């Protein structure tokens, strides 16, 4: 059966929030990523002549490198700046809209942006207009939609069915972790996903996200910190299919709050005992970078998926750029 024609996703050509993608879009994207994984060079050169600016104003290893790599492998000319906050005119107070205006006037077509404040990528998209795709690569404590795409791709590759009942436990700094925000919005598109939120009281999941789940009739359970103190983490994971671990986002806390957060986090460390208490076919994910919350001793556990997840970032970003490019050149 020939695969259906790709259609524009909501908000096309910008990628600002994970809610923009519907299950039918994702099925096509994941198939495309799988094809690229099997034939890594098949789309090489398809974006020749396109100029892409990868402009990051917060630290990054994987997102930055995989976007640069994805765009270059597809043939785009890439201007990559990982130091926007330090060495661009931003350090002199320039707003992101003016930066976009400059790059546009120099002939740039695509913008992959990481910003430290929520909402700045949306402003950049307005300045870019609807012929110049802007991709949110993380905006403060807001969202990180392409991370959610690669996270869900990893889940899909393991379970092959997102309509079956799945229990997903999101663990850690749920207040500041933008990857969990994007992932929850995306997983909420699938009615049989059940959410369990676990983490220190001081960084529980945002109320608007919980409201979103309630409005959409999704099942979720918030485990208070006190319950973990009474009954340790390993006793909560026996029915968890996906354990999504996140680090304490210390850079988003004041100096005085950091020590308290690290202390509170000690109860939420994913030890080998926690991993072993999970079902045999379950998976452990982490957007990386990890710190003490996920010790290296877990790396050899068969449930550990985070390095595969990291690799998936390249395939999914190539598939996403290729999809956008396809639509841009045919519309
Ligand atoms: C995440 C991010 O930047 O939000 N990293 C990533 O992109 N893989 C997670 C984090 O920094 O904790």
């Amino acid at each position: 059966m020939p695969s259906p024609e790709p259609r524009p996703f909501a908000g096309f050509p910008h990628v600002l929030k994970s809610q923009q993608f519907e299950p039918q879009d994702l099925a096509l994207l994941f198939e495309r990523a799988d094809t690229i994984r099997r034939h890594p060079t098949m789309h090489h050169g398809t974006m020749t002549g396109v100029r892409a600016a990868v402009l990051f104003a917060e630290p990054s290893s994987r997102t930055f490198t995989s976007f640069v790599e994805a765009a270059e492998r597809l043939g785009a000319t890439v201007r990559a700046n990982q130091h926007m906050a330090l060495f661009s005119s931003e350090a002199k107070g320039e707003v992101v809209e003016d930066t976009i205006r400059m790059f546009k006037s120099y002939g740039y077509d695509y913008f992959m942006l990481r910003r430290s404040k929520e909402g700045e990528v949306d402003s950049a998209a307005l300045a870019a207009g609807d012929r110049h795709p802007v991709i949110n690569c993380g905006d403060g404590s807001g969202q990180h939609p392409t991370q959610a795409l690669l996270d869900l791709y990893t889940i899909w590759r393991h379970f092959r069915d997102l309509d079956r009942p799945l229990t997903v436990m999101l663990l850690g700094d749920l207040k500041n972790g933008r990857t969990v925000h994007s992932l929850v919005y995306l997983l909420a598109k699938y009615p049989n996903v059940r959410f369990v939120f676990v983490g220190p009281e001081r960084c529980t999941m945002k109320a608007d996200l919980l409201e979103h789940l309630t409005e959409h009739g999704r099942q979720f359970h918030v485990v208070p910190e006190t319950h973990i103190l009474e009954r340790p983490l390993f006793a909560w994971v026996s029915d968890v299919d996906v354990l999504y671990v996140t680090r304490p986002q210390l850079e988003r806390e004041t100096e005085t709050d950091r020590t308290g957060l690290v202390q509170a986090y000690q109860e939420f460390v994913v030890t080998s005992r926690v991993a072993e208490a999970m079902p045999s076919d379950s998976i452990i994910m982490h957007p990386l970078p990890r710190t003490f919350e996920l010790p290296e001793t877990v790396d050899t556990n068969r449930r550990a998926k985070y390095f595969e997840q990291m690799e998936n970032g390249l395939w999914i970003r190539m598939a996403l750029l290729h999809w956008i490019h396809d639509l841009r050149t045919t519309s």
Side-chain angles (χ1 to χ4, degrees):
M1 204 173 67
S3 28
E5 279 301 304
R7 52 168 208 159
F9 47 87
F12 178 84
H14 306 303
V15 177
L16 305 175
K17 295 178 170 45
S18 62
Q19 300 92 301
Q20 289 174 241
F21 298 94
E22 295 303 328
Q24 61 266 44
D25 301 322
L26 297 167
L28 288 177
L29 180 72
F30 296 166
E31 293 292 349
R32 196 181 283 238
D34 262 4
T35 308
I36 297 175
R37 163 197 295 275
R38 281 194 305 272
H39 310 283
T41 57
M42 71 182 289
H43 296 307
H44 278 194
T46 49
M47 285 179 74
T48 302
V50 169
R51 301 175 77 80
V54 186
L55 309 174
F56 276 39
E58 271 196 346
S60 173
S61 295
R62 277 149 288 269
T63 310
F64 183 80
T65 311
S66 59
F67 258 123
V68 170
E69 196 65 30
E72 282 183 347
R73 287 191 193 196
L74 293 171
T77 302
V78 180
R79 165 79 50 203
N81 186 336
Q82 209 168 355
H83 307 284
M84 290 300 284
L86 271 182
F87 297 124
S88 78
S89 283
E90 258 182 51
K92 304 175 186 171
E94 180 162 84
V95 293
V96 69
E97 290 93 324
D98 285 352
T99 309
I100 297 293
R101 288 181 187 112
M102 178 199 78
F103 275 98
K104 259 178 89 172
S105 74
Y106 294 163
Y108 282 82
D109 308 287
Y110 282 60
F111 300 97
M112 285 73 127
L113 304 182
R114 175 166 285 192
R115 309 293 309 171
S116 56
K117 288 202 196 79
E118 223 176 310
E120 282 186 342
V121 185
D122 303 71
S123 311
L126 281 177
D130 58 13
R131 292 292 307 154
H132 292 74
V134 169
I135 302 178
N136 180 0
C137 300
D139 62 337
S141 300
Q143 282 223 18
H144 191 348
T146 64
Q147 178 71 40
L149 295 177
L150 75 91
D151 290 343
L152 193 61
Y153 175 53
T154 306
I155 297 172
W156 173 78
R157 275 184 60 79
H158 184 75
F159 294 102
R160 284 286 159 183
D161 177 11
L162 296 171
D163 293 318
R164 58 161 261 185
L166 269 182
T167 296
V168 180
M169 179 183 276
L170 297 117
L171 180 76
D173 190 345
L174 308 180
K175 181 179 81 177
N176 292 313
R178 53 196 173 199
T179 67
V180 281
H181 303 156
S182 289
L183 183 58
V184 170
Y185 278 120
L186 206 55
L187 282 169
K189 307 264 181 182
Y190 299 87
N192 294 323
V193 172
R194 187 178 146 255
F195 299 88
V196 184
F197 299 114
V198 183
E201 214 60 54
R202 60 177 71 215
C203 44
T204 50
M205 185 51 98
K206 293 176 171 190
D208 54 352
L209 237 160
L210 298 182
E211 276 160 30
H212 178 89
L213 295 180
T214 309
E215 275 164 24
H216 289 79
R218 299 295 179 254
Q219 284 187 65
F220 69 89
H221 178 52
V222 179
V223 181
E225 183 175 0
T226 48
H227 289 198
I228 300 289
L229 297 177
E230 285 159 15
R231 198 170 147 232
L233 187 58
F234 66 80
W236 294 86
V237 295
S238 62
D239 65 345
V240 167
D241 298 302
V242 178
L243 176 61
Y244 192 93
V245 190
T246 63
R247 72 181 169 94
Q249 303 261 315
L250 298 179
E251 72 275 28
R252 310 214 185 275
E253 299 289 337
T254 62
E255 194 79 49
T256 39
D257 286 343
R258 282 181 199 162
T259 322
L261 181 55
V262 170
Q263 272 164 10
Y265 238 85
Q266 300 307 319
E267 302 301 325
F268 301 92
V269 172
V270 178
T271 56
S272 294
R273 182 161 188 195
V274 175
E276 279 306 324
M278 292 173 62
S280 56
D281 189 38
S282 61
I283 56 174
I284 300 171
M285 299 177 66
H286 194 304
L288 304 175
R290 51 124 167 238
T291 55
F292 64 88
E293 74 286 351
L294 184 56
E296 283 175 53
T297 46
V298 179
D299 295 358
T300 48
N301 190 292
R302 66 184 175 285
R303 299 169 187 85
K305 272 279 168 193
Y306 30 94
F307 296 124
E308 187 184 315
Q309 184 186 352
M310 168 182 82
E311 185 197 312
N312 287 341
L314 177 62
W315 311 126
I316 214 77
R317 289 180 174 121
M318 283 182 80
L320 177 69
L321 290 179
H322 186 253
W323 180 16
I324 297 174
H325 180 70
D326 246 12
L327 291 168
R328 251 181 118 236
T329 45
T330 51
S331 64

PDB file of all heavy atoms in Angstrom, residues 58-60 62-63 114 137-138 140 144 147 177-179 246-247 249 251-252 286-289 317, ligand 1:
ATOM      1  N   GLU A  58      21.263  28.838  25.240  1.00  0.00           N
ATOM      2  CA  GLU A  58      21.421  28.056  26.482  1.00  0.00           C
ATOM      3  C   GLU A  58      22.280  26.847  26.135  1.00  0.00           C
ATOM      4  O   GLU A  58      22.286  26.418  24.973  1.00  0.00           O
ATOM      5  CB  GLU A  58      20.057  27.545  26.978  1.00  0.00           C
ATOM      6  CG  GLU A  58      19.320  28.479  27.892  1.00  0.00           C
ATOM      7  CD  GLU A  58      18.198  27.771  28.653  1.00  0.00           C
ATOM      8  OE1 GLU A  58      17.827  26.641  28.290  1.00  0.00           O
ATOM      9  OE2 GLU A  58      17.706  28.365  29.620  1.00  0.00           O
ATOM     10  N   PRO A  59      22.969  26.268  27.138  1.00  0.00           N
ATOM     11  CA  PRO A  59      23.840  25.126  26.842  1.00  0.00           C
ATOM     12  C   PRO A  59      23.099  23.963  26.188  1.00  0.00           C
ATOM     13  O   PRO A  59      21.911  23.751  26.458  1.00  0.00           O
ATOM     14  CB  PRO A  59      24.357  24.703  28.215  1.00  0.00           C
ATOM     15  CG  PRO A  59      24.176  25.899  29.085  1.00  0.00           C
ATOM     16  CD  PRO A  59      22.995  26.647  28.555  1.00  0.00           C
ATOM     17  N   SER A  60      23.806  23.239  25.355  1.00  0.00           N
ATOM     18  CA  SER A  60      23.227  22.054  24.704  1.00  0.00           C
ATOM     19  C   SER A  60      24.345  21.189  24.149  1.00  0.00           C
ATOM     20  O   SER A  60      25.358  21.707  23.682  1.00  0.00           O
ATOM     21  CB  SER A  60      22.327  22.493  23.554  1.00  0.00           C
ATOM     22  OG  SER A  60      21.893  21.363  22.814  1.00  0.00           O
ATOM     23  N   ARG A  62      23.337  17.438  22.780  1.00  0.00           N
ATOM     24  CA  ARG A  62      22.629  16.582  21.821  1.00  0.00           C
ATOM     25  C   ARG A  62      21.739  17.341  20.840  1.00  0.00           C
ATOM     26  O   ARG A  62      21.780  17.097  19.630  1.00  0.00           O
ATOM     27  CB  ARG A  62      21.762  15.552  22.572  1.00  0.00           C
ATOM     28  CG  ARG A  62      22.537  14.340  23.011  1.00  0.00           C
ATOM     29  CD  ARG A  62      21.969  13.774  24.301  1.00  0.00           C
ATOM     30  NE  ARG A  62      22.314  14.670  25.393  1.00  0.00           N
ATOM     31  CZ  ARG A  62      23.411  14.549  26.133  1.00  0.00           C
ATOM     32  NH1 ARG A  62      24.210  13.534  25.931  1.00  0.00           N
ATOM     33  NH2 ARG A  62      23.706  15.421  27.072  1.00  0.00           N
ATOM     34  N   THR A  63      20.903  18.246  21.355  1.00  0.00           N
ATOM     35  CA  THR A  63      19.952  18.921  20.455  1.00  0.00           C
ATOM     36  C   THR A  63      20.711  19.739  19.417  1.00  0.00           C
ATOM     37  O   THR A  63      20.410  19.700  18.227  1.00  0.00           O
ATOM     38  CB  THR A  63      18.993  19.821  21.272  1.00  0.00           C
ATOM     39  OG1 THR A  63      18.456  19.048  22.336  1.00  0.00           O
ATOM     40  CG2 THR A  63      17.865  20.349  20.412  1.00  0.00           C
ATOM     41  N   ARG A 114      17.208  27.860  20.511  1.00  0.00           N
ATOM     42  CA  ARG A 114      17.063  27.555  21.941  1.00  0.00           C
ATOM     43  C   ARG A 114      17.147  28.873  22.686  1.00  0.00           C
ATOM     44  O   ARG A 114      18.089  29.646  22.494  1.00  0.00           O
ATOM     45  CB  ARG A 114      18.139  26.588  22.419  1.00  0.00           C
ATOM     46  CG  ARG A 114      18.066  26.381  23.931  1.00  0.00           C
ATOM     47  CD  ARG A 114      18.857  25.200  24.405  1.00  0.00           C
ATOM     48  NE  ARG A 114      18.174  23.953  24.085  1.00  0.00           N
ATOM     49  CZ  ARG A 114      18.526  22.764  24.585  1.00  0.00           C
ATOM     50  NH1 ARG A 114      19.552  22.685  25.418  1.00  0.00           N
ATOM     51  NH2 ARG A 114      17.872  21.671  24.257  1.00  0.00           N
ATOM     52  N   CYS A 137      13.815  24.631  20.043  1.00  0.00           N
ATOM     53  CA  CYS A 137      14.755  23.615  20.543  1.00  0.00           C
ATOM     54  C   CYS A 137      14.877  23.716  22.062  1.00  0.00           C
ATOM     55  O   CYS A 137      15.902  23.332  22.639  1.00  0.00           O
ATOM     56  CB  CYS A 137      16.113  23.805  19.889  1.00  0.00           C
ATOM     57  SG  CYS A 137      16.070  23.673  18.101  1.00  0.00           S
ATOM     58  N   GLY A 138      13.837  24.241  22.699  1.00  0.00           N
ATOM     59  CA  GLY A 138      13.832  24.406  24.156  1.00  0.00           C
ATOM     60  C   GLY A 138      13.735  25.880  24.493  1.00  0.00           C
ATOM     61  O   GLY A 138      14.594  26.663  24.085  1.00  0.00           O
ATOM     62  N   GLY A 140      13.381  27.928  27.867  1.00  0.00           N
ATOM     63  CA  GLY A 140      13.324  28.015  29.330  1.00  0.00           C
ATOM     64  C   GLY A 140      12.650  26.783  29.917  1.00  0.00           C
ATOM     65  O   GLY A 140      12.970  25.651  29.544  1.00  0.00           O
ATOM     66  N   HIS A 144       9.916  21.658  24.658  1.00  0.00           N
ATOM     67  CA  HIS A 144      11.034  21.179  23.847  1.00  0.00           C
ATOM     68  C   HIS A 144      10.426  20.138  22.899  1.00  0.00           C
ATOM     69  O   HIS A 144      10.621  18.927  23.048  1.00  0.00           O
ATOM     70  CB  HIS A 144      12.071  20.554  24.774  1.00  0.00           C
ATOM     71  CG  HIS A 144      13.396  20.239  24.151  1.00  0.00           C
ATOM     72  ND1 HIS A 144      13.617  20.250  22.785  1.00  0.00           N
ATOM     73  CD2 HIS A 144      14.583  19.891  24.724  1.00  0.00           C
ATOM     74  CE1 HIS A 144      14.878  19.917  22.551  1.00  0.00           C
ATOM     75  NE2 HIS A 144      15.472  19.700  23.705  1.00  0.00           N
ATOM     76  N   GLN A 147      12.306  17.165  21.215  1.00  0.00           N
ATOM     77  CA  GLN A 147      12.709  16.125  22.167  1.00  0.00           C
ATOM     78  C   GLN A 147      11.531  15.170  22.386  1.00  0.00           C
ATOM     79  O   GLN A 147      11.705  13.946  22.413  1.00  0.00           O
ATOM     80  CB  GLN A 147      13.139  16.754  23.496  1.00  0.00           C
ATOM     81  CG  GLN A 147      13.530  15.743  24.568  1.00  0.00           C
ATOM     82  CD  GLN A 147      14.855  15.037  24.298  1.00  0.00           C
ATOM     83  OE1 GLN A 147      15.798  15.664  23.844  1.00  0.00           O
ATOM     84  NE2 GLN A 147      14.942  13.742  24.574  1.00  0.00           N
ATOM     85  N   GLY A 177      11.313  20.968  34.032  1.00  0.00           N
ATOM     86  CA  GLY A 177      11.772  20.129  32.910  1.00  0.00           C
ATOM     87  C   GLY A 177      10.869  20.311  31.695  1.00  0.00           C
ATOM     88  O   GLY A 177       9.762  19.795  31.635  1.00  0.00           O
ATOM     89  N   ARG A 178      11.378  21.015  30.680  1.00  0.00           N
ATOM     90  CA  ARG A 178      10.540  21.285  29.494  1.00  0.00           C
ATOM     91  C   ARG A 178      10.291  20.027  28.680  1.00  0.00           C
ATOM     92  O   ARG A 178       9.301  19.914  27.978  1.00  0.00           O
ATOM     93  CB  ARG A 178      11.203  22.362  28.631  1.00  0.00           C
ATOM     94  CG  ARG A 178      12.649  22.042  28.260  1.00  0.00           C
ATOM     95  CD  ARG A 178      13.376  23.252  27.764  1.00  0.00           C
ATOM     96  NE  ARG A 178      14.795  23.002  27.567  1.00  0.00           N
ATOM     97  CZ  ARG A 178      15.714  23.951  27.498  1.00  0.00           C
ATOM     98  NH1 ARG A 178      15.366  25.218  27.623  1.00  0.00           N
ATOM     99  NH2 ARG A 178      16.980  23.653  27.308  1.00  0.00           N
ATOM    100  N   THR A 179      11.204  19.047  28.796  1.00  0.00           N
ATOM    101  CA  THR A 179      10.998  17.830  28.000  1.00  0.00           C
ATOM    102  C   THR A 179       9.758  17.074  28.486  1.00  0.00           C
ATOM    103  O   THR A 179       9.013  16.540  27.677  1.00  0.00           O
ATOM    104  CB  THR A 179      12.223  16.885  28.056  1.00  0.00           C
ATOM    105  OG1 THR A 179      12.364  16.379  29.369  1.00  0.00           O
ATOM    106  CG2 THR A 179      13.500  17.600  27.647  1.00  0.00           C
ATOM    107  N   THR A 246      14.232  12.583  34.869  1.00  0.00           N
ATOM    108  CA  THR A 246      14.815  13.894  34.536  1.00  0.00           C
ATOM    109  C   THR A 246      15.723  14.367  35.670  1.00  0.00           C
ATOM    110  O   THR A 246      15.552  13.969  36.819  1.00  0.00           O
ATOM    111  CB  THR A 246      13.725  14.963  34.305  1.00  0.00           C
ATOM    112  OG1 THR A 246      12.992  15.137  35.530  1.00  0.00           O
ATOM    113  CG2 THR A 246      12.778  14.574  33.188  1.00  0.00           C
ATOM    114  N   ARG A 247      16.655  15.224  35.319  1.00  0.00           N
ATOM    115  CA  ARG A 247      17.607  15.730  36.315  1.00  0.00           C
ATOM    116  C   ARG A 247      17.014  16.938  37.041  1.00  0.00           C
ATOM    117  O   ARG A 247      16.106  17.594  36.510  1.00  0.00           O
ATOM    118  CB  ARG A 247      18.919  16.129  35.617  1.00  0.00           C
ATOM    119  CG  ARG A 247      18.783  17.388  34.811  1.00  0.00           C
ATOM    120  CD  ARG A 247      20.048  17.805  34.095  1.00  0.00           C
ATOM    121  NE  ARG A 247      19.689  18.867  33.161  1.00  0.00           N
ATOM    122  CZ  ARG A 247      19.773  20.160  33.429  1.00  0.00           C
ATOM    123  NH1 ARG A 247      20.235  20.584  34.591  1.00  0.00           N
ATOM    124  NH2 ARG A 247      19.392  21.065  32.543  1.00  0.00           N
ATOM    125  N   GLN A 249      16.808  20.620  37.647  1.00  0.00           N
ATOM    126  CA  GLN A 249      17.213  21.745  36.784  1.00  0.00           C
ATOM    127  C   GLN A 249      17.779  22.849  37.686  1.00  0.00           C
ATOM    128  O   GLN A 249      17.135  23.868  37.928  1.00  0.00           O
ATOM    129  CB  GLN A 249      16.002  22.252  36.006  1.00  0.00           C
ATOM    130  CG  GLN A 249      15.326  21.176  35.168  1.00  0.00           C
ATOM    131  CD  GLN A 249      15.731  21.238  33.713  1.00  0.00           C
ATOM    132  OE1 GLN A 249      15.780  22.299  33.119  1.00  0.00           O
ATOM    133  NE2 GLN A 249      16.017  20.084  33.129  1.00  0.00           N
ATOM    134  N   GLU A 251      20.013  25.022  37.354  1.00  0.00           N
ATOM    135  CA  GLU A 251      20.248  26.347  36.768  1.00  0.00           C
ATOM    136  C   GLU A 251      18.999  27.226  36.797  1.00  0.00           C
ATOM    137  O   GLU A 251      19.092  28.431  36.585  1.00  0.00           O
ATOM    138  CB  GLU A 251      20.798  26.220  35.341  1.00  0.00           C
ATOM    139  CG  GLU A 251      19.809  25.747  34.270  1.00  0.00           C
ATOM    140  CD  GLU A 251      19.666  24.227  34.172  1.00  0.00           C
ATOM    141  OE1 GLU A 251      19.860  23.530  35.176  1.00  0.00           O
ATOM    142  OE2 GLU A 251      19.328  23.745  33.063  1.00  0.00           O
ATOM    143  N   ARG A 252      17.849  26.608  37.059  1.00  0.00           N
ATOM    144  CA  ARG A 252      16.616  27.406  37.109  1.00  0.00           C
ATOM    145  C   ARG A 252      16.217  27.764  38.545  1.00  0.00           C
ATOM    146  O   ARG A 252      15.149  28.314  38.784  1.00  0.00           O
ATOM    147  CB  ARG A 252      15.466  26.676  36.416  1.00  0.00           C
ATOM    148  CG  ARG A 252      15.836  26.176  35.031  1.00  0.00           C
ATOM    149  CD  ARG A 252      14.729  26.182  34.025  1.00  0.00           C
ATOM    150  NE  ARG A 252      15.173  25.573  32.777  1.00  0.00           N
ATOM    151  CZ  ARG A 252      15.825  26.214  31.797  1.00  0.00           C
ATOM    152  NH1 ARG A 252      16.100  27.500  31.915  1.00  0.00           N
ATOM    153  NH2 ARG A 252      16.207  25.577  30.711  1.00  0.00           N
ATOM    154  N   HIS A 286      15.653   8.899  29.493  1.00  0.00           N
ATOM    155  CA  HIS A 286      16.176  10.137  30.090  1.00  0.00           C
ATOM    156  C   HIS A 286      16.572  11.030  28.919  1.00  0.00           C
ATOM    157  O   HIS A 286      17.249  10.556  27.995  1.00  0.00           O
ATOM    158  CB  HIS A 286      17.396   9.817  30.973  1.00  0.00           C
ATOM    159  CG  HIS A 286      17.813  10.931  31.887  1.00  0.00           C
ATOM    160  ND1 HIS A 286      18.120  12.205  31.418  1.00  0.00           N
ATOM    161  CD2 HIS A 286      17.965  10.990  33.234  1.00  0.00           C
ATOM    162  CE1 HIS A 286      18.437  12.984  32.453  1.00  0.00           C
ATOM    163  NE2 HIS A 286      18.341  12.276  33.563  1.00  0.00           N
ATOM    164  N   PRO A 287      16.177  12.304  28.936  1.00  0.00           N
ATOM    165  CA  PRO A 287      16.542  13.147  27.786  1.00  0.00           C
ATOM    166  C   PRO A 287      18.043  13.425  27.737  1.00  0.00           C
ATOM    167  O   PRO A 287      18.558  13.827  26.688  1.00  0.00           O
ATOM    168  CB  PRO A 287      15.747  14.435  28.027  1.00  0.00           C
ATOM    169  CG  PRO A 287      15.494  14.476  29.507  1.00  0.00           C
ATOM    170  CD  PRO A 287      15.379  13.041  29.934  1.00  0.00           C
ATOM    171  N   LEU A 288      18.718  13.255  28.860  1.00  0.00           N
ATOM    172  CA  LEU A 288      20.138  13.581  29.015  1.00  0.00           C
ATOM    173  C   LEU A 288      20.323  15.108  28.871  1.00  0.00           C
ATOM    174  O   LEU A 288      19.554  15.718  28.136  1.00  0.00           O
ATOM    175  CB  LEU A 288      21.016  12.806  28.042  1.00  0.00           C
ATOM    176  CG  LEU A 288      20.872  11.267  28.119  1.00  0.00           C
ATOM    177  CD1 LEU A 288      21.716  10.603  27.017  1.00  0.00           C
ATOM    178  CD2 LEU A 288      21.284  10.730  29.490  1.00  0.00           C
ATOM    179  N   PRO A 289      21.262  15.740  29.537  1.00  0.00           N
ATOM    180  CA  PRO A 289      22.299  15.113  30.339  1.00  0.00           C
ATOM    181  C   PRO A 289      21.750  14.601  31.687  1.00  0.00           C
ATOM    182  O   PRO A 289      20.872  15.207  32.266  1.00  0.00           O
ATOM    183  CB  PRO A 289      23.266  16.272  30.582  1.00  0.00           C
ATOM    184  CG  PRO A 289      22.403  17.502  30.564  1.00  0.00           C
ATOM    185  CD  PRO A 289      21.336  17.210  29.558  1.00  0.00           C
ATOM    186  N   ARG A 317      15.120  14.183  13.745  1.00  0.00           N
ATOM    187  CA  ARG A 317      15.326  15.575  13.277  1.00  0.00           C
ATOM    188  C   ARG A 317      15.568  15.603  11.776  1.00  0.00           C
ATOM    189  O   ARG A 317      15.131  16.529  11.092  1.00  0.00           O
ATOM    190  CB  ARG A 317      16.443  16.229  14.094  1.00  0.00           C
ATOM    191  CG  ARG A 317      15.943  16.500  15.512  1.00  0.00           C
ATOM    192  CD  ARG A 317      16.925  17.133  16.445  1.00  0.00           C
ATOM    193  NE  ARG A 317      16.255  17.454  17.689  1.00  0.00           N
ATOM    194  CZ  ARG A 317      16.594  16.998  18.901  1.00  0.00           C
ATOM    195  NH1 ARG A 317      17.639  16.206  19.051  1.00  0.00           N
ATOM    196  NH2 ARG A 317      15.892  17.351  19.960  1.00  0.00           N
TER     197      ARG A 317
HETATM  198  C1  LIG B   1      17.105  18.630  27.881  1.00  0.00           C
HETATM  199  C2  LIG B   1      16.829  20.115  27.740  1.00  0.00           C
HETATM  200  O1  LIG B   1      17.676  20.869  27.278  1.00  0.00           O
HETATM  201  O2  LIG B   1      15.721  20.478  28.078  1.00  0.00           O
HETATM  202  N1  LIG B   1      18.228  18.193  27.187  1.00  0.00           N
HETATM  203  C3  LIG B   1      18.083  17.846  25.879  1.00  0.00           C
HETATM  204  O3  LIG B   1      17.737  18.666  25.047  1.00  0.00           O
HETATM  205  N2  LIG B   1      18.287  16.568  25.554  1.00  0.00           N
HETATM  206  C4  LIG B   1      17.051  18.143  29.270  1.00  0.00           C
HETATM  207  C5  LIG B   1      17.817  18.847  30.338  1.00  0.00           C
HETATM  208  O4  LIG B   1      18.559  19.787  30.115  1.00  0.00           O
HETATM  209  O5  LIG B   1      17.677  18.390  31.466  1.00  0.00           O
END
